[in-house]
Amino acid sequence: MSAGAYFPGLTPLYGEFSIARGITPAVGTLVCAPVDRPSLGVGTLRIDDGNGGGVNFPDCLPYVPFLRQAFPNTKRVPFKTQHRWDLTVLDHRWRWAFGAISGEYNKRLADGSVDSNVQKTAAQLANLCLDAMGETGYDTSAMPGGVYPYVNWQNTNPALALWELCERVACEITGGEFAQVRIYRRGVGSDLVPGPLHAPYRFPLASKPNKIIARGGPTVFQSKFKLTAIALETDGTQKTLNNATYNPTWSTQSPISFPSLSGVTQQVALFSVWKMYRASAMADGSLSVPGCSDPVSGIDQCFPLFNTQVASAKDVDGANWSLPAYVQGKWWPRGDNLADTDTDTIYTGGWQLLADRGVVDFDNPVWSFVASSGAIQEPTLFLVASHHVIKIDNSLVRLERSQTIGGNGGDFILQRPELFGAIRANWSGTSLSGTTSSLSQAQAEADQYLALFAASFSAAEMDDQEYPGIRSIQTDGKIAQVKYSGGVNRPFRTRASTYAEFDLYSPAKPELRRRNLVELGKEASV
Amino acid sequence: MDDLRAAFFRTKVRVKNSTGAVIPPYAVLRVVSVAIANGELVYTVAKPNSASTDFLWDYLVNGPMQIGAASTAEGWATALSEPGYVQYDSGSPALGQVWGPKHGQWGIASNYYGFQILGGGSAIAGNNVIVARQVGVHYVLGKIDDSTVNKGSTCTVSVWDQGRSADTTMNITSVMNNAVNLTSINGKKCGVCRAGSAAELCWVECS
């Protein structure tokens, strides 16, 4: 084939095509004579240097021409007309603006583990996106294992979904210009062969962070809370029973009528006394949350409480559901005698959790009897429920792992809210027997993210090489951009760079990233 | 007041203590009066016959809660129409026996009337309790306190225990004689039947 740029229906005199990684189609320019209403369609763009070097870009879209003034009969642009077209051409990735994908994957169970019903590796998620994009023959085998990024796609553009996924696992999308997508880990790929046109001028990139931090979600603790009976005042203020302003002798006061009270006071007593109990401490009376190394000086550092435990089980359909919080203890079960239930009996009556201040509100009053007299007394009750812990600086105890890589920059934050640990306190009555924790598996996944991004920053060095003729160079985890150019009276050149883009007229990666985030409707995050 | 209408409480009634003393769990209660408070029936109760020697046909039984001595103190009670605990004074109540309220005490007594023993004796809150059911009193043994009772007139009967061994010291007044004129019958044994809300002589010992 003779040297030149080729596109069906056109006779370009000159062409150039600058390809970068990602989902944005490359924009090529073909310089040709303008034609009124040409019949052009999607086709293969080829740039051939006439010496055996050439590259094909299939499925390109002729986009829009820019009419410019030409200089006829010059050596540089031998047009017969006074005008020329600079026709922009988009590579195969123009098709990626369409389509939709939906699905929620890698949802976490109450203990932080991935729900096996919706578990997908990064490669499996990428394959779903690529299928939705209409791609075939793709290669996602290099994507990392050991991480399970949470996604919740709701009619999301699949190319954007793929891009966001790759950003989260430090991968690059390449090969879209050839309709042969291959996903690389960032920083993994080929070095450029030094070209003959100039000496190497490599540039170590200074934008390397000092530390990478993987910031997970708040740790979930499951505790056994001691419940203390409360009474509401007429203005809604909570008091313990002995501190209520209308404190009659509770031990001889009928809990179903409070006959020594009257009016609104009687109403609030009926509403709250022996019906409302507040989580006041751990089962042993202490405030320390088992498994939490941060100091807890007040029980409200554990509020709000959750209606669930950290354990899950299968429902009738085989889906996972979080087990509900429960009340247990020792109280009068309305039996025929004064005897309480056994210790740590689970309460099976109705109650609701007023989560913000840790109050259990029973449907019916719950009390105990003094066995020797039949006088009313406070029952021994506990609430087993999960919660977060607020630190003294008002932030939540959460998973956070870091790795120092010693760059000039600050901290590079990886937001991974789906990663969290769950720590369950195990009690035998009011004695703590230990904790069961899933924190280590969340830490392992966080550490895997750190390793991925640390590798992506290692030895980041921009190399910019230019070669005579057309060489087929593929972008990968290192090679960031390749440009092909040449035509009539123009030398054929191939130029490539690693780690950063060299072409000032193509949007640099940070700008492309910003645009993609706007499309996704999200704030900048990794 | 929803709790009072909850399933558990439908068989219970509110009771108010008029004794000025603590009412123990499972005590037998004499109804003094009934009133409406907050839309609920509230029975004022006292110790059986502590202020009266009148025999009563029906009683309530306190629940498991000790009722305080204050004038406003309340608890809940049942008619024990279903088996449940009731206090007894002493002895060994046995299955099938009938015991009943005795004036001046909280527990039922042997050979008195109204409560069928079902067994399951225990001690709760320092008192003897037994499982029983109030079966109602329809017939008692007694002795006539009047010398002459004409047909169509009433008399007073001293109630004796079922074993005829002792006068319970409880009396039934206004016992109707619907049979024949009776003379010289003071101290004669008789049987008194409950006829609706009234009582009448159903037999009298002839000399």
Side-chain angles (χ1 to χ4, degrees):
Chain A
M1 189 173 245
S2 53
Y6 297 89
F7 192 82
L10 289 176
T11 308
L13 290 174
Y14 171 73
E16 68 175 35
F17 212 5
S18 188
I19 294 103
R21 300 171 297 190
I23 61 172
T24 305
V27 179
T29 303
L30 297 178
V31 176
C32 58
V35 178
D36 186 35
R37 293 182 177 165
S39 178
L40 296 177
V42 171
T44 298
L45 167 69
R46 179 174 176 80
I47 301 178
D48 196 306
D49 63 10
N51 288 323
V55 62
N56 290 333
F57 300 99
D59 200 37
C60 287
L61 176 74
Y63 193 46
V64 289
F66 294 93
L67 190 65
R68 297 180 187 279
Q69 198 156 29
F71 297 92
N73 297 321
T74 64
K75 187 177 181 181
R76 190 152 176 83
V77 183
F79 280 110
K80 293 181 181 174
T81 69
Q82 285 192 323
H83 297 89
R84 76 177 205 219
W85 266 349
D86 288 356
L87 176 65
T88 56
V89 177
L90 305 181
D91 74 22
H92 163 74
R93 288 175 284 183
W94 67 270
R95 293 192 183 273
W96 293 0
F98 309 105
I101 187 170
S102 297
E104 185 177 16
Y105 299 98
N106 293 330
K107 209 169 150 183
R108 257 53 177 185
L109 300 178
D111 67 350
S113 62
V114 182
D115 185 341
S116 58
N117 290 338
V118 291
Q119 185 171 14
K120 297 279 184 201
T121 63
Q124 288 171 325
L125 291 173
N127 293 349
L128 290 172
C129 293
L130 289 162
D131 289 342
M133 290 153 68
E135 296 298 308
T136 58
Y138 49 77
D139 181 358
T140 59
S141 60
M143 294 189 79
V147 292
Y148 300 94
Y150 171 70
V151 296
N152 186 6
W153 300 320
Q154 297 294 319
N155 289 314
T156 306
N157 174 273
L160 279 170
L162 177 66
W163 172 84
E164 187 184 29
L165 170 67
C166 289
E167 284 290 294
R168 291 182 72 79
V169 295
C171 284
E172 299 287 353
I173 304 165
T174 74
E177 65 276 18
F178 299 117
Q180 292 284 313
V181 175
R182 186 170 175 183
I183 297 180
Y184 283 86
R185 293 200 197 187
R186 196 171 295 154
V188 175
S190 304
D191 292 322
L192 290 174
V193 174
L197 297 180
H198 57 77
Y201 301 110
R202 285 160 290 201
F203 186 83
L205 294 174
S207 57
K208 186 169 147 182
N210 177 54
K211 192 196 294 185
I212 307 173
I213 298 175
R215 187 165 289 160
T219 303
V220 181
F221 298 89
Q222 179 174 311
S223 296
K224 183 176 180 180
F225 294 95
K226 177 174 149 63
L227 291 177
T228 299
I230 58 173
L232 295 187
E233 301 286 355
T234 53
D235 65 354
T237 305
Q238 278 183 23
K239 297 277 179 69
T240 59
L241 293 193
N242 289 338
N243 290 331
T245 55
Y246 54 85
N247 180 13
T249 305
W250 297 114
S251 62
T252 57
Q253 190 71 209
S254 171
I256 61 170
S257 57
F258 298 109
S260 68
L261 304 176
S262 62
V264 176
T265 307
Q266 187 186 49
Q267 294 298 316
V268 293
L270 286 165
F271 184 78
S272 60
V273 178
W274 307 123
K275 289 183 78 248
M276 287 187 167
Y277 291 77
R278 181 171 179 268
S280 56
M282 295 297 135
D284 60 1
S286 71
L287 290 174
S288 296
V289 176
C292 179
S293 57
D294 288 88
V296 176
S297 57
I299 195 64
D300 54 355
Q301 285 177 250
C302 298
F303 298 158
L305 302 180
F306 304 138
N307 261 314
T308 53
Q309 305 173 44
V310 298
S312 306
K314 298 287 186 188
D315 72 6
V316 172
D317 298 318
N320 288 298
W321 73 299
S322 298
L323 296 180
Y326 61 94
V327 171
Q328 65 179 159
K330 194 168 176 296
W331 70 95
W332 181 61
R334 308 186 197 253
D336 290 321
N337 60 10
L338 273 66
D340 282 346
T341 62
D342 290 336
T343 304
D344 273 347
T345 298
I346 292 180
Y347 185 82
T348 56
W351 59 278
Q352 59 171 337
L353 178 63
L354 306 180
D356 60 338
R357 297 305 297 166
V359 171
V360 171
D361 184 10
F362 290 97
D363 290 355
N364 291 298
V366 179
W367 69 86
S368 186
F369 283 118
V370 176
S372 61
S373 64
I376 301 281
Q377 66 176 359
E378 186 167 339
T380 304
L381 295 173
F382 304 95
L383 169 68
V384 178
S386 59
H387 59 98
H388 294 149
V389 171
I390 303 172
K391 299 195 284 188
I392 52 178
D393 66 359
N394 290 319
S395 66
L396 293 174
V397 172
R398 63 173 67 241
L399 168 70
E400 189 164 294
R401 305 285 283 179
S402 65
Q403 183 172 344
T404 300
I405 57 175
N408 293 326
D411 296 337
F412 187 79
I413 310 292
L414 305 177
Q415 300 286 4
R416 297 291 181 267
E418 70 271 20
L419 300 183
F420 67 91
I423 301 177
R424 184 184 77 221
N426 301 316
W427 294 86
S428 176
T430 56
S431 298
L432 180 68
S433 55
T435 58
T436 304
S437 173
S438 67
L439 193 55
S440 60
Q441 69 192 49
Q443 289 172 337
E445 193 171 344
D447 289 348
Q448 176 68 349
Y449 278 111
L450 292 176
L452 286 172
F453 280 84
S456 74
F457 285 113
S458 66
E461 181 180 78
M462 185 179 181
D463 189 9
D464 187 352
Q465 295 289 339
E466 195 170 21
Y467 309 94
I470 300 300
R471 292 191 184 195
S472 180
I473 298 176
Q474 310 260 342
T475 56
D476 59 25
K478 275 189 184 177
I479 298 175
Q481 190 172 33
V482 182
K483 180 176 176 180
Y484 304 96
S485 60
V488 174
N489 296 328
R490 301 267 183 115
F492 287 88
R493 290 279 187 265
T494 304
R495 186 173 175 186
S497 66
T498 58
Y499 286 100
E501 294 78 13
F502 59 83
D503 189 339
L504 297 178
Y505 296 99
S506 293
K509 187 175 178 201
E511 171 58 18
L512 289 173
R513 183 171 179 279
R514 187 196 68 80
R515 291 179 190 176
N516 289 342
L517 286 169
V518 169
E519 284 283 332
L520 281 165
K522 294 183 178 181
E523 295 178 10
S525 65
V526 177
Chain B
M1 297 295 175
D2 284 348
D3 288 337
L4 290 175
R5 298 186 180 88
F8 167 74
F9 285 108
R10 282 198 195 103
T11 59
K12 311 292 191 290
V13 294
R14 277 170 68 182
V15 292
K16 187 172 176 178
N17 187 359
S18 69
T19 67
V22 170
I23 300 178
Y26 307 112
V28 177
L29 305 173
R30 171 171 61 92
V31 176
V32 174
S33 62
V34 62
I36 295 281
N38 305 116
E40 302 275 353
L41 288 170
V42 181
Y43 293 82
T44 300
V45 294
K47 186 178 281 186
N49 302 86
S50 59
S52 166
T53 54
D54 282 349
F55 177 86
L56 295 179
W57 300 94
D58 302 291
Y59 292 82
L60 294 177
V61 177
N62 188 22
M65 190 184 89
Q66 164 196 312
I67 305 176
S71 61
T72 56
E74 283 189 21
W76 65 88
T78 75
L80 217 66
S81 51
E82 298 296 327
Y85 281 119
V86 62
Q87 269 194 43
Y88 68 93
D89 52 5
S90 61
S92 302
L95 176 68
Q97 292 177 348
V98 175
W99 290 40
K102 182 176 178 181
H103 83 262
Q105 63 184 47
W106 294 119
I108 57 178
S110 174
N111 271 334
Y112 280 65
Y113 299 90
F115 287 76
Q116 184 177 33
I117 303 300
L118 299 173
S122 182
I124 297 177
N127 296 298
N128 297 322
V129 294
I130 192 76
V131 178
R133 187 169 67 95
Q134 184 167 210
V135 295
V137 184
H138 304 284
Y139 169 76
V140 298
L141 299 170
K143 288 186 180 177
I144 300 176
D145 288 346
D146 298 294
S147 297
T148 300
V149 185
N150 290 328
K151 178 180 177 180
S153 300
T154 62
C155 62
T156 298
V157 171
S158 295
V159 178
W160 280 62
D161 65 22
Q162 298 176 63
R164 296 180 181 281
S165 62
D167 187 344
T168 65
T169 74
M170 292 185 280
N171 302 326
I172 306 175
T173 58
S174 303
V175 179
M176 178 61 72
N177 174 17
N178 285 319
V180 297
N181 294 340
L182 300 170
T183 59
S184 303
I185 59 168
N186 186 306
K188 293 294 186 186
K189 298 173 188 174
C190 65
V192 177
C193 299
R194 189 176 182 180
S197 59
E200 68 176 58
L201 293 172
C202 42
W203 63 268
V204 177
E205 177 189 27
C206 297
S207 55

